[in-house]
Amino acid sequence: MNHRCGTIGMAGRPNTGKSSLLNRLVGQKLSIVSAKPQTTRHLVTGILTRPDCQYIFVDAPGQQPGAKSILHRRLNRRGAEAARDADVALFVLEALRFTEEDRRVLERIPKEQCIVLAVNKIDLLKQHAQLIPFLDRLSKTREFAAIVPLSAKTGKNIPALLAALRAALPEGPAIYPPEQLTDRDERFFAAELLREKIFETMGQELPYRCEVVIDSFKEEGRLRRIEATILVERESQKPIVLGAGGERLKRIATAARKDMEKLFGGKVYLGTWVKVRKAWTDDARALRQLGYE
Ligand SMILES: Nc1nc2c(ncn2[C@@H]2O[C@H](COP(=O)(O)OP(=O)(O)OP(=O)(O)O)[C@@H](O)[C@H]2O)c(=O)[nH]1
Ligand SMILES: [Mg+2]
């Protein structure tokens, strides 16, 4: 069998389970997940190496048509580019839900791009018979290389998805060494894990006003000493992040530190600070400095 290798850009509206699927596919939690939409902000590469194929997955922000802030417009653009620039786009939908938003995100993928459609969250379905007419309807909306109903949560049908993706990838040798799982470093994951806990712990709106910056990351023997700043947009948001007596921030930081220790395989000291960076989500200069081109 000829060896294949290529990039697979994940696309879809927020919350369909792109990051959960990436983690399931590579067998390691690389991309942060939350029940809140637009959790993912950065492109995260996850690499799966099999004897006959190297899959280079690129997780991307969920696209939210009509997003208002500059940050959200940049995230939408990142999402669209990831699907366009990869060898194959992996469009992720929720089972039995094909909304106007899904349709608009799908339309942003250029006509000539090869698309594999993942219909996720089938574990939530009571009757699988409902899937058949839904899949049938989808197959008429556009030409897909394959349509695979699956569950990122349980792992059902993941082998079928990998087979469909392999068939769509170009022939060629592996690009990355077999043991490499990602192109991101520990500093990146430290920031992301802290942001994930902010998304999990805080109310509906505040996570979108928060950003994490790693001020320093030092390895001292087996200890990683990390100093991080949580940026908020207004002075009034600071006490909300801190909680009474700093209790909420402590909870967030402890949860993040535990996840970091698991991922890095060693002890972590995590110092956290909260600072105001006024209206950063709508400030082009601040966004550029924070890595949102
Ligand atoms: N029941 C069920 N829940 C899932 C499945 N996949 C993802 N979820 C949940 O769906 C929510 C969103 O998952 P994410 O993986 O963060 O979704 P996403 O598409 O990456 O979202 P954005 O980054 O915001 O675009 C989380 O609460 C997940 O736990 C699945 O197969 N079954
Ligand atoms: Mg995501």
Side-chain angles (χ1 to χ4, degrees), residues 6-12 18 21-22 25 43-46 55-61 63 78-92 105 109 113-118 165 169:
T7 50
I8 300 146
M10 324 268 297
K18 297 174 291 302
L21 184 57
L22 174 110
L25 285 160
L43 301 182
V44 183
T45 298
Y55 304 82
I56 304 161
F57 296 99
V58 182
D59 189 19
Q63 298 169 62
R78 259 183 197 175
E81 286 172 358
R84 188 196 64 199
D85 297 344
D87 292 307
V88 179
L90 177 55
F91 192 82
V92 185
V105 177
I109 304 178
Q113 177 61 302
C114 169
I115 307 175
V116 169
L117 179 60
L165 289 169
L169 287 175

Side-chain angles (χ1 to χ4, degrees), residues 37 71 89 91 158 168 185 209 215 220 248 253 272 275 288:
L71 172 67
F91 192 82
I158 294 297
D185 60 9
R209 309 288 157 203
D215 301 314
E220 297 171 0
R248 183 179 285 139
T272 47
K275 284 185 195 148
R288 207 165 32 248

Side-chain angles (χ1 to χ4, degrees), residues 38-105:
Q38 241 173 19
T39 302
T40 302
R41 289 182 185 165
H42 304 281
L43 301 182
V44 183
T45 298
I47 305 156
L48 174 66
T49 303
R50 290 276 170 88
D52 59 351
C53 187
Q54 184 167 71
Y55 304 82
I56 304 161
F57 296 99
V58 182
D59 189 19
Q63 298 169 62
Q64 224 164 13
K68 287 188 188 75
S69 73
I70 306 181
L71 172 67
H72 284 104
R73 289 206 295 273
R74 299 263 157 97
L75 297 182
N76 281 349
R77 198 171 66 202
R78 259 183 197 175
E81 286 172 358
R84 188 196 64 199
D85 297 344
D87 292 307
V88 179
L90 177 55
F91 192 82
V92 185
L93 271 182
E94 286 178 301
L96 304 189
R97 286 191 67 192
F98 183 62
T99 64
E100 179 58 20
E101 222 182 340
D102 291 302
R103 199 182 55 75
R104 285 172 65 184
V105 177

Side-chain angles (χ1 to χ4, degrees), residues 3 45 51 67 89 91 110 114 118 141 146-147 149 157-158 170 221 234 267 284 289:
H3 192 275
T45 298
F91 192 82
C114 169
T141 57
I147 302 181
N157 273 350
I158 294 297
R234 277 186 273 132
K267 278 248 161 285
Q289 284 168 352

Side-chain angles (χ1 to χ4, degrees), residues 44 46 122 157 195 224 252 286:
V44 183
I122 58 165
N157 273 350
R195 203 164 58 77
R224 287 161 179 83
I252 290 171

Side-chain angles (χ1 to χ4, degrees), residues 10-24 31-41 59-64 92 94 119-125 150-156 195-196 199 208:
M10 324 268 297
R13 76 171 150 74
N15 245 347
T16 56
K18 297 174 291 302
S19 302
S20 306
L21 184 57
L22 174 110
N23 295 340
R24 168 64 71 178
S31 199
I32 64 169
V33 167
S34 91
K36 297 189 175 76
Q38 241 173 19
T39 302
T40 302
R41 289 182 185 165
D59 189 19
Q63 298 169 62
Q64 224 164 13
V92 185
E94 286 178 301
V119 177
N120 190 25
K121 307 197 186 182
I122 58 165
D123 58 287
L124 294 175
L125 297 183
L150 52 81
S151 167
K153 186 175 174 183
T154 66
K156 193 169 168 72
R195 203 164 58 77
E196 181 181 61
F199 267 71
Y208 300 103

Side-chain angles (χ1 to χ4, degrees), residues 174-284:
I175 293 173
Y176 293 98
E179 66 283 358
Q180 191 168 338
L181 275 180
T182 182
D183 63 345
R184 294 291 193 170
D185 60 9
E186 290 188 352
R187 197 181 172 109
F188 173 79
F189 291 116
E192 286 289 272
L193 287 171
L194 183 53
R195 203 164 58 77
E196 181 181 61
K197 303 311 162 203
I198 294 170
F199 267 71
E200 278 173 5
T201 313
M202 314 251 272
Q204 287 304 313
E205 183 53 25
L206 207 51
Y208 300 103
R209 309 288 157 203
C210 291
E211 179 67 337
V212 173
V213 176
I214 302 296
D215 301 314
S216 90
F217 189 117
K218 289 190 196 123
E219 284 186 50
E220 297 171 0
R222 293 185 53 210
L223 174 82
R224 287 161 179 83
R225 188 177 290 280
I226 305 168
E227 303 283 350
T229 297
I230 298 170
L231 299 178
V232 292
E233 290 204 308
R234 277 186 273 132
E235 205 56 51
S236 61
Q237 292 163 342
K238 251 165 103 170
I240 309 175
V241 177
L242 289 164
E247 174 274 336
R248 183 179 285 139
L249 179 60
K250 205 166 163 186
R251 205 148 33 90
I252 290 171
T254 303
R257 178 177 55 75
K258 284 188 179 151
D259 272 17
M260 290 176 201
E261 290 183 337
K262 212 155 72 189
L263 184 66
F264 304 155
K267 278 248 161 285
V268 168
Y269 164 87
L270 176 64
T272 47
W273 311 88
V274 185
K275 284 185 195 148
V276 178
R277 176 89 199 233
K278 236 172 144 191
W280 68 270
T281 61
D282 252 325
D283 176 344

